[in-house]
Amino acid sequence: MKFLVVGDPMLTADTLEKAVRDVFGEEVVVKGVDWKPESEEEFWFLRSQVEKFGPSAGKPPVELIEAGKDADVIITHHTPLNKELIEQSSASYVGVCRAGTENADVNAATAKGTKVMKTMGRNAEAVSDFTIALLLSELRNLARGHAALMQGDWKKKYANSGFMGDVREKTIGLVGLGYIGRLVAHKLANFNVRVLAYDPYIKAEAVQGSGVELVSLEELCKQSDFISIHARLSKDTAGLIGKEALSWMKPTAYLINTARAGLINEKALIEALQNRQIGGAALDVFWTEPIAKDHPLLTMENVTLTPHLAGATNDTFAQTPYLLLRELKRVLDNKETSSWIVN
């Protein structure tokens, strides 16, 4: 079996090659190619373009097309695999070391009969940890207090000082109850909170005994003290949290987003924060990344902002290719299908 592994600045071809040999054995043939944009800034820009517009928006190495012509399996992380590459490839499987497959042309793969696999739950532990960290940081002004002290300011009063409280007995609303949402709910269990969830794809019997209550988005917004977003971005969910949803929220409620910026209407959120319509927001993702230096969010006292860090841990990157490759091996060995196959 011949593998083509396509690395990038975050997960190199050498790392992917080692994972392939560890899982499939030394007898497999592995060819590695690294996607190397000219700078870190270009990498992040191209990555964001691919997220928004698909693999045709990226600039994959030209040698990928030739390298893919005799590959049985192609494994990638963020490198875009466009229509031309997939059409000329002989691969039966394309594996993406991510929960989404935006960087692979799934339509071209489907037309050719190539199966595309994603890596489900790969950064769920990291993102769920980070979500709770943002919740606590926004509630207790951890980041703002640190920033003030670094400037020599022993600051005790903040935008939320009038309603800052404890997490205990608060209501947490989760928008999306997949891998990450469920882990957040599980990790919050010992905080003695009430957990609501909005997820139209989850049936009531699936959450029985979990302590999570399924409700409508309106009910979730009206009752929650914290709303944390864990949905996937699609044409149906784009702008899900907009002017109306924000109007339902309590004036003391916090909005947390570690998923995708497009799930929130940017203009509506800025207005809600400027007008103190909601208590605050903690955001790890932005509509354009890096965030513009003159963005109004950077002037606000009722936000906690981090530069898309939630899923980026060493443990996540180390385990991701192994999760994907073990699932692929199970499928190939047992001639089974998998819920990780998107087409």
Side-chain angles (χ1 to χ4, degrees), residues 157-234:
K157 294 290 185 180
Y158 298 92
N160 63 350
S161 291
F163 55 88
M164 182 176 67
D166 301 331
V167 178
R168 184 176 182 270
E169 296 185 349
K170 295 295 191 295
T171 298
I172 315 293
L174 304 176
V175 179
L177 200 61
Y179 275 84
I180 296 172
R182 293 184 188 205
L183 266 178
V184 171
H186 175 73
K187 292 176 180 181
L188 284 171
N190 289 330
F191 280 79
N192 191 21
V193 295
R194 179 188 181 202
V195 180
L196 308 179
Y198 166 72
D199 192 323
Y201 303 101
I202 299 289
K203 295 182 179 179
E205 53 266 28
V207 299
Q208 285 182 350
S210 69
V212 177
E213 304 171 45
L214 289 178
V215 296
S216 68
L217 180 61
E218 181 176 356
E219 198 64 28
L220 182 144
C221 290
K222 288 181 175 179
Q223 294 192 37
S224 297
D225 299 296
F226 303 89
I227 296 175
S228 188
I229 304 176
H230 303 288
R232 290 204 63 78
L233 180 61
S234 69

Side-chain angles (χ1 to χ4, degrees), residues 52 261-262 283-291 297 305-308:
K52 293 178 182 178
L283 308 174
D284 184 54
V285 289
F286 304 92
W287 299 266
T288 300
E289 295 187 359
I291 187 171
L297 284 171
L305 309 176
T306 52
H308 207 144

Side-chain angles (χ1 to χ4, degrees), residues 14 39 44 52 100 106 118 136 166 176 183 188-189 192 198 226 253 255 263 305 311-312 315 318 321 331 334 341:
D14 287 344
S39 65
W44 286 105
K52 293 178 182 178
V106 177
K118 61 184 177 180
L136 293 171
D166 301 331
L183 266 178
L188 284 171
N192 191 21
Y198 166 72
F226 303 89
L255 181 63
L263 293 160
L305 309 176
D315 290 339
V331 169
N334 301 316
I341 297 173

Side-chain angles (χ1 to χ4, degrees), residues 12-176:
T12 66
D14 287 344
T15 302
L16 292 173
E17 180 175 346
K18 182 180 184 302
V20 170
R21 296 192 184 282
D22 286 347
V23 174
F24 281 85
E26 290 293 331
E27 65 274 10
V28 297
V29 176
V30 186
K31 180 178 178 60
V33 177
D34 273 313
W35 184 41
K36 296 180 179 179
E38 292 183 4
S39 65
E40 183 177 350
E41 290 75 17
E42 186 189 25
F43 168 69
W44 286 105
F45 172 74
L46 290 174
R47 183 176 176 270
S48 68
Q49 292 297 103
V50 170
E51 290 281 324
K52 293 178 182 178
F53 305 114
S56 61
K59 297 178 181 178
V62 293
E63 61 266 31
L64 270 186
I65 294 177
E66 190 63 32
K69 287 182 178 178
D70 64 346
D72 300 306
V73 178
I74 300 176
I75 303 295
T76 187
H77 183 222
H78 280 296
T79 306
L81 305 181
N82 57 24
K83 181 179 180 181
E84 181 184 9
L85 187 151
I86 287 176
E87 286 182 342
Q88 296 194 42
S89 166
S90 60
S92 300
Y93 286 87
V94 167
V96 181
C97 294
R98 303 176 59 226
T101 56
E102 293 87 352
N103 57 313
D105 194 321
V106 177
N107 290 334
T110 302
K112 190 174 173 57
T114 301
K115 294 181 174 65
V116 179
M117 291 184 70
K118 61 184 177 180
T119 310
M120 292 179 67
R122 72 167 192 119
N123 60 2
E125 289 288 348
V127 176
S128 58
D129 287 349
F130 203 87
T131 296
I132 295 171
L134 282 181
L135 185 155
L136 293 171
S137 183
E138 182 63 13
L139 175 67
R140 300 303 305 275
N141 301 301
L142 302 183
R144 287 187 282 271
H146 169 78
L149 270 179
M150 295 297 284
Q151 297 298 318
D153 185 3
W154 186 266
K155 189 172 182 178
K156 304 290 281 186
K157 294 290 185 180
Y158 298 92
N160 63 350
S161 291
F163 55 88
M164 182 176 67
D166 301 331
V167 178
R168 184 176 182 270
E169 296 185 349
K170 295 295 191 295
T171 298
I172 315 293
L174 304 176
V175 179

